[in-house]
Amino acid sequence: MRQRLSSEPDRYRGRRRVPTPPRSRYAAVVTTAFVGAGMVALGAAALPDAKSVSPSVLDELKQASITSQDVAARADSDDRASRDSRAETKASTEQDVWLLPLQGYDFNAPYGMHGGKLHTGVDLVAPEGTPYVAIHAGAVTKAGWFGGYGYTVIVKHTDGSEAIYGHSSAVTVKEGQQVKAGDQLGLVGNTGHSYGAHLHLEIHVNGDPRDPVPWLQDRGVDIKMQVEAFYSDVTTS
């Protein structure tokens, strides 16, 4: 009997295990594809096909779409109406505003008899070249030389009254121009029959001169105290 040498390695005489190869990438991709397709199918089953929806449901969807469009159109229309209303209110407010013709003047030579003659306006003494503005909105009917008034601007207001601004060194508007209260009309000067640099202001109603002091006081402007009700209201509101 042959003896096994101790140096000879042991041999495995049973069934030999064959190592299992790693799972192929192809199998993983195929599996993922099947799972994805199943989920898509489930999702599609949950959403109704347009052809399978009853006509009443389609009508409801159409009606909902039309209603939303109507709401949007109505909102846009309301917004436009609101903007138009604000514009009209602003325009109306501008038409109602009465202001001082300039700031920082000395009130001199009030309306009335002076040296046996009627002084038909008031004189507001200010440095030559000082800008003056419209006391109220209206149309410029005169912008240029006007006899003893020198360079003059006349504005006819929307209520029919007129304001005459005399003795200007220059006028900055043209005849026919529409102006708002606060728009510059010219510069204080000493032209025509004038004793020094000042703005001569007259108010006429139906062609007749009126005392500017009470006339403007009735409209919220104190020309002697140099107070404007419009700006006072804005400041305190």
Side-chain angles (χ1 to χ4, degrees):
M1 185 175 176
R2 184 182 175 187
Q3 292 182 347
R4 182 166 56 89
L5 297 177
S6 60
S7 61
E8 185 177 358
D10 293 335
R11 292 182 181 178
Y12 175 72
R13 298 183 182 276
R15 291 180 60 185
R16 197 173 177 187
R17 295 183 61 185
V18 179
T20 304
R23 195 176 180 184
S24 67
R25 292 182 180 178
Y26 173 76
V29 170
V30 170
T31 302
T32 303
F34 275 116
V35 172
M39 293 181 67
V40 171
L42 288 174
L47 297 175
D49 187 358
K51 294 188 293 296
S52 65
V53 177
S54 65
S56 61
V57 174
L58 289 177
D59 290 341
E60 290 177 3
L61 293 174
K62 290 179 182 178
Q63 186 62 36
S65 176
I66 293 172
T67 302
S68 63
Q69 292 174 3
D70 290 343
V71 169
R74 236 182 346 258
D76 183 59
S77 177
D78 291 344
D79 185 54
R80 284 198 304 270
S82 177
R83 289 198 301 270
D84 292 342
S85 177
R86 288 195 298 269
E88 290 176 0
T89 301
K90 181 180 178 182
S92 177
T93 301
E94 289 175 349
Q95 292 296 324
D96 293 338
V97 173
W98 290 81
L99 301 175
L100 293 168
L102 72 162
Q103 303 287 334
Y105 55 84
D106 291 328
F107 183 87
N108 196 7
Y111 180 93
M113 299 300 295
H114 293 272
K117 293 182 180 180
L118 177 63
H119 186 238
T120 53
V122 294
D123 292 343
L124 310 178
V125 179
E128 186 166 348
T130 302
Y132 64 85
V133 302
I135 61 174
H136 193 58
V140 177
T141 58
K142 181 68 180 180
W145 190 264
F146 193 51
Y149 290 87
Y151 287 109
T152 300
V153 175
I154 301 177
V155 176
K156 186 169 186 177
H157 306 140
T158 54
D159 64 0
S161 64
E162 293 178 299
I164 301 175
Y165 308 81
H167 306 309
S168 308
S169 61
V171 297
T172 56
V173 290
K174 298 179 180 180
E175 292 180 10
Q177 182 176 335
Q178 295 289 327
V179 295
K180 300 188 299 294
D183 285 350
Q184 182 177 318
L185 302 178
L187 306 176
V188 171
N190 189 29
T191 59
H193 299 164
S194 174
Y195 57 84
H198 70 285
L199 176 68
H200 176 81
L201 176 67
E202 291 186 17
I203 301 294
H204 284 215
V205 178
N206 297 323
D208 297 325
R210 300 290 180 89
D211 186 347
V213 174
W215 174 265
L216 291 174
Q217 283 178 339
D218 290 342
R219 288 152 180 81
V221 176
D222 192 327
I223 199 167
K224 293 183 73 174
M225 298 297 294
Q226 302 187 36
V227 174
E228 297 168 327
F230 175 74
Y231 285 125
S232 297
D233 292 342
V234 172
T235 303
T236 57
S237 61

